[in-house]
Amino acid sequence: MEYRGNISVTTSGRTCQRWDRQEPHAHGYDSHLPGNASLHENFCRNPLAYDEPTPWCYTTDPNIRVELCDIPACECRDTLIGEGYIGSTSHTINGTRCLRWDSLNRSNSKYASILKLKGNITSHENYCRNPDEKLAPWCYIGVNNGLWEYCDIPFYSAECLNDPRGQEYFGTETNTEDNIECQRWDEQKPHSHELSRGFMGLPVPEHANYCRNPDNRDRPWCYTVNSTVLFQYCNIRECQEHDCKDTEVGLEYRGIINMTRNGIPCQRWDSKYPHEPSRKLSFPSESLSAHENYCRNPDKKLIPWCYTVDPDVRWDYCDIPFCLSDNYRCDFSEETCNVEQINQTTINWMHKRSEDDELGLILSTNMSSQPSVLPSLRLPFLRFTTTGSCLEMKYWSTGLKLDISISNKSLTRLPMSDTWKYIKVNLNHQIENFQIVITPIPLSSTLESAIQYINVRNKPCEDCYACLEDRLCIEKEKFCDMMVDCPDETDEQNCALECFNGNVYEGFRKESKSLHRCSDGRCNFGKDAMLKPGCFIRSSKEWEECNVPSCDIESLNCDFENDMCSWKSMQPGVTWNRHKAENYDEMVVSAKVALFSDRTMERAIIYSTPQSSAEDIGCITMSLWEKVYIYKSLSPKAPFTLTIK
């Protein structure tokens, strides 16, 4: 009824007459069209909905005054109650077949709603309709008693909010803003409620445990499965907030990207030059002109697309980035995912099982010489929403390293590992649209690598130590353990500086925890700092904490009587052990080193936890083989680690 598309031919193929003309057929409908009649050109319309059930037009054939148009009907409803639904569903929610509208006695008051049907009653056959604006489309199922039932017409809804309150949100989010799982609406435990009879035009089981707003609250919400938390709001973004898509096919995309993946500008949807659009192309409840020349997916192609302005290229796909409102996951143990291979050679990544029977994406070759190029993997376009993101990946590789890059800039190079290794890589917020590329770097003629899954979360990496210059984020336990794990070696170089003690931090971190660059240079304990160092971001208007660990400071005092007092041996190297001294009954620690023929020795290093800075000259006393040595040191101006070699 509200059709605003550009189909301009009738079901028999006749061309429509312009609405602002009176030849060959005079009419008075020009005043009933919204806006100026010339804006509607000769497109199919239904100016007065009670005249016909579907859009129509006057024809340019002098002998045929009016004909209906073949407008494809969406088997869905695009409003809350579906009053405009003209699809062909003909059974109710309970599976009962609908009765024909023209088979019932319209003089019977129990069937009065039939009189409100628009257009020819016969044309509605036995399809579900909503002529009297009930909660949802419905149909009669009783011949004499006026019995009727609702129909199960799916709602056309994106995973985003068309309005701030989200009263028409029919998406599938099942967790609250604090990541608590939602309670099913048709259950009364752990929380009893009065919304168990259905709402928003659907029976309550259809809502499962999805976030909804049935009672006009501030935004969608749900009861939670936590018995101590009655309800919480859900964190669902607004549809127009970011120029990105929520799903692979992008049916919901309403952004303004108007260029194809090959750089060709898009043709306007309401234009016929240089390409005549498909006659069956339309958008539910929207005009083609409203979509200008933006990439869209009105006919459920693989991804959004558009007609092009190049006469030789009718249409082409568009690269629309994913919105990382939650995360993008590609699990090769379940599916191949939308990952593109580039720089393809005779060697390719294959979806198969590894030697340990794990399903994944595998690259393998055994050649006579080391290959110069191996095929890279490129993920779909992604887009940051509020913060930086975190790439999580499970892999193993022998004979090669894996380089992780975005926008031709290397983020990190993953080392070889002959066992499955789980890694995290921070993705910088400064790059808005991005594609992650994984490039194998061959180191041998015999090489093999496998990837089990790739996960990109819309928040920086957590529970790990972020290397300063490299984007790898290593396990917290590996920070300052005298064993280099960061490719830039910043987990060990000056590692006593890269933690804070009290309100002292003398390190070199230059980004906040959300990966925004510090506008004041580096992280520090400014007047806005609370318990951790931080910095100003966004032109010194907002203070944010930095991802700096606290120093695990323990006293250097230790007689090694009961344990090692947190002193550790450097790996690789000779291990220091506790034992009783040979000549007296006391505990000592010692390390036996080997002297090689070239007069070199094994390393035997023991180190303490980071220590806080001191104002005065420090004094370290230790007993070495029954002799007492006193070492004096200038006062360090920052935390330090004591190492004994």
Side-chain angles (χ1 to χ4, degrees):
M1 314 302 176
E2 67 288 332
Y3 175 68
R4 293 293 181 271
N6 67 346
I7 292 178
S8 57
V9 294
T10 68
T11 53
S12 65
R14 291 182 171 84
T15 302
C16 294
Q17 173 185 312
R18 288 185 62 92
W19 292 99
D20 57 355
R21 294 181 181 173
Q22 299 294 319
E23 294 179 354
H25 306 289
H27 63 87
Y29 281 103
D30 50 350
S31 61
H32 296 288
L33 290 164
N36 191 305
S38 61
L39 296 176
H40 298 271
E41 300 186 27
N42 68 330
F43 303 141
C44 300
R45 294 290 184 262
N46 198 355
L48 296 177
Y50 53 76
D51 284 346
E52 297 292 346
T54 62
W56 55 276
C57 68
Y58 295 103
T59 80
T60 53
D61 185 340
N63 300 316
I64 305 295
R65 180 173 172 79
V66 172
E67 275 192 341
L68 298 178
C69 300
D70 184 15
I71 307 298
C74 170
E75 280 303 327
C76 55
R77 50 189 168 121
D78 50 16
T79 62
L80 187 61
I81 63 174
E83 70 278 11
Y85 173 71
I86 54 173
S88 58
T89 297
S90 59
H91 56 274
T92 71
I93 287 176
N94 296 319
T96 307
R97 185 169 180 79
C98 298
L99 298 175
R100 287 186 62 94
W101 297 92
D102 58 3
S103 69
L104 301 169
N105 183 4
R106 280 166 274 176
S107 61
N108 186 335
S109 61
K110 294 180 180 179
Y111 297 100
S113 296
I114 297 176
L115 300 175
K116 298 180 182 180
L117 282 170
K118 299 169 182 177
N120 189 313
I121 294 176
T122 301
S123 65
H124 293 285
E125 300 188 27
N126 67 330
Y127 304 142
C128 300
R129 297 289 184 262
N130 193 4
D132 51 358
E133 298 187 355
K134 286 183 170 63
L135 293 177
W138 57 278
C139 68
Y140 288 110
I141 59 173
V143 177
N144 299 313
N145 54 11
L147 190 63
W148 60 273
E149 284 184 353
Y150 284 119
C151 301
D152 185 13
I153 309 299
F155 193 85
Y156 180 83
S157 176
E159 288 295 334
C160 51
L161 306 182
N162 289 310
D163 65 275
R165 290 184 180 271
Q167 289 181 274
E168 295 193 358
Y169 174 71
F170 279 79
T172 56
E173 177 59 56
T174 59
N175 287 76
T176 71
E177 56 190 358
D178 286 341
N179 205 33
I180 304 176
E181 184 180 349
C182 293
Q183 173 183 316
R184 284 188 61 92
W185 295 96
D186 56 356
E187 293 181 355
Q188 295 292 320
K189 292 181 180 181
H191 305 290
S192 60
H193 57 88
E194 298 179 353
L195 293 169
S196 58
R197 295 187 176 181
F199 50 84
M200 298 172 70
L202 290 176
V204 69
E206 295 294 320
H207 295 290
N209 66 331
Y210 304 138
C211 299
R212 295 288 184 261
N213 191 4
D215 51 358
N216 195 26
R217 299 192 190 191
D218 291 339
R219 49 198 171 103
W221 60 278
C222 68
Y223 296 107
T224 81
V225 297
N226 188 330
S227 60
T228 63
V229 181
L230 176 62
F231 85 95
Q232 273 193 350
Y233 288 111
C234 302
N235 187 22
I236 302 167
R237 69 176 187 85
E238 294 186 19
C239 295
Q240 297 298 328
E241 184 180 357
H242 305 290
D243 198 359
C244 45
K245 62 181 181 179
D246 294 297
T247 61
E248 176 69 27
V249 294
L251 298 175
E252 76 291 339
Y253 175 68
R254 290 297 182 270
I256 57 173
I257 293 176
N258 58 2
M259 191 83 68
T260 74
R261 58 169 42 166
N262 291 311
I264 308 174
C266 294
Q267 173 185 314
R268 285 186 62 91
W269 293 98
D270 56 359
S271 173
K272 298 181 180 180
Y273 181 81
H275 305 289
E276 180 84 19
S278 168
R279 292 180 177 181
K280 294 187 177 182
L281 194 66
S282 66
F283 297 91
S285 301
E286 297 169 307
S287 66
L288 291 179
S289 59
H291 295 275
E292 301 188 27
N293 68 331
Y294 305 138
C295 299
R296 294 291 185 261
N297 194 1
D299 55 353
K300 299 183 180 180
K301 282 184 169 62
L302 294 176
I303 57 175
W305 59 279
C306 70
Y307 295 110
T308 83
V309 297
D310 185 339
D312 298 324
V313 181
R314 178 169 171 79
W315 67 274
D316 194 8
Y317 287 120
C318 303
D319 274 331
I320 310 298
F322 277 93
C323 299
L324 287 181
S325 56
D326 182 15
N327 68 315
Y328 168 83
R329 184 174 179 85
C330 186
D331 194 336
F332 296 110
S333 65
E334 298 177 358
E335 54 183 330
T336 56
C337 304
N338 185 24
V339 176
E340 179 185 3
Q341 293 196 49
I342 55 178
N343 301 328
Q344 292 199 27
T345 64
T346 55
I347 311 167
N348 289 306
W349 291 86
M350 305 293 291
H351 189 239
K352 61 181 182 179
R353 294 190 179 277
S354 60
E355 292 181 358
D356 56 0
D357 203 35
E358 292 280 356
L359 191 61
L361 199 63
I362 296 177
L363 179 71
S364 177
T365 184
N366 186 358
M367 305 178 71
S368 57
S369 61
Q370 180 177 309
S372 58
V373 179
L374 293 172
S376 299
L377 298 175
R378 183 165 59 192
L379 273 65
F381 266 102
L382 303 174
R383 187 185 187 110
F384 293 107
T385 52
T386 57
T387 69
S389 296
C390 182
L391 166 68
E392 300 172 346
M393 191 169 85
K394 186 176 179 181
Y395 82 101
W396 63 262
S397 65
T398 58
L400 60 85
K401 292 185 177 182
L402 294 176
D403 183 84
I404 310 294
S405 65
I406 55 176
S407 301
N408 295 321
K409 180 180 180 180
S410 177
L411 302 180
T412 190
R413 187 162 291 186
L414 304 180
M416 292 188 291
S417 174
D418 55 7
T419 59
W420 286 106
K421 187 177 181 66
Y422 171 70
I423 58 95
K424 296 179 180 180
V425 180
N426 274 313
L427 306 177
N428 198 325
H429 180 266
Q430 291 179 319
I431 304 170
E432 193 170 14
N433 287 351
F434 65 96
Q435 278 186 295
I436 298 171
V437 177
I438 303 173
T439 303
I441 307 298
L443 302 175
S444 170
S445 59
T446 301
L447 50 89
E448 189 169 11
S449 183
I451 301 175
Q452 190 175 83
Y453 67 82
I454 299 171
N455 193 33
V456 184
R457 295 185 181 275
N458 187 32
K459 57 183 179 181
C461 302
E462 298 176 329
D463 298 323
C464 56
Y465 173 79
C467 306
L468 290 185
E469 303 300 330
D470 192 270
R471 285 297 168 182
L472 191 64
C473 203
I474 64 173
E475 295 95 321
K476 291 188 295 185
E477 297 76 17
K478 293 184 176 181
F479 167 67
C480 207
D481 66 350
M482 303 299 285
M483 179 75 176
V484 173
D485 295 289
C486 286
D488 58 7
E489 302 184 356
T490 53
D491 58 321
E492 302 303 325
Q493 289 181 356
N494 300 316
C495 67
L497 301 180
E498 288 305 330
C499 60
F500 72 92
N501 179 44
N503 63 348
V504 177
Y505 171 67
E506 299 291 339
F508 306 97
R509 192 166 296 280
K510 299 178 181 180
E511 290 181 336
S512 70
K513 65 180 182 181
S514 65
L515 304 184
H516 287 91
R517 297 290 289 183
C518 293
S519 60
D520 48 351
R522 67 179 182 87
C523 302
N524 59 84
F525 272 96
K527 62 182 179 64
D528 293 273
M530 297 294 288
L531 301 176
K532 296 184 66 175
C535 66
F536 284 106
I537 61 175
R538 299 189 179 99
S539 303
S540 302
K541 294 182 179 179
E542 182 180 343
W543 178 270
E544 187 173 65
E545 288 184 352
C546 294
N547 186 18
V548 177
S550 61
C551 297
D552 183 19
I553 293 178
E554 295 188 28
S555 173
L556 289 175
N557 295 330
C558 187
D559 59 10
F560 302 108
E561 186 65 32
N562 299 310
D563 54 41
M564 292 290 293
C565 308
S566 297
W567 287 71
K568 299 177 182 179
S569 300
M570 183 176 180
Q571 299 294 328
V574 177
T575 301
W576 289 67
N577 298 299
R578 290 174 58 250
H579 60 88
K580 283 191 176 183
E582 296 178 2
N583 301 326
Y584 52 88
D585 191 25
E586 288 189 13
M587 297 299 296
V588 297
V589 291
S590 66
K592 294 183 178 180
V593 298
L595 180 64
F596 301 110
S597 58
D598 60 357
R599 308 301 295 174
T600 60
M601 296 177 64
E602 290 182 299
R603 293 197 307 173
I605 299 175
I606 186 172
Y607 62 96
S608 73
T609 60
Q611 301 296 304
S612 60
S613 59
E615 295 296 331
D616 302 319
I617 292 177
C619 180
I620 301 169
T621 303
M622 57 188 135
S623 175
L624 300 177
W625 299 110
E626 300 179 290
K627 294 182 180 180
V628 175
Y629 295 87
I630 298 177
Y631 296 87
K632 287 187 177 181
S633 168
L634 290 177
S635 171
K637 296 181 179 180
F640 66 95
T641 297
L642 178 64
T643 304
I644 302 174
K645 301 182 180 179

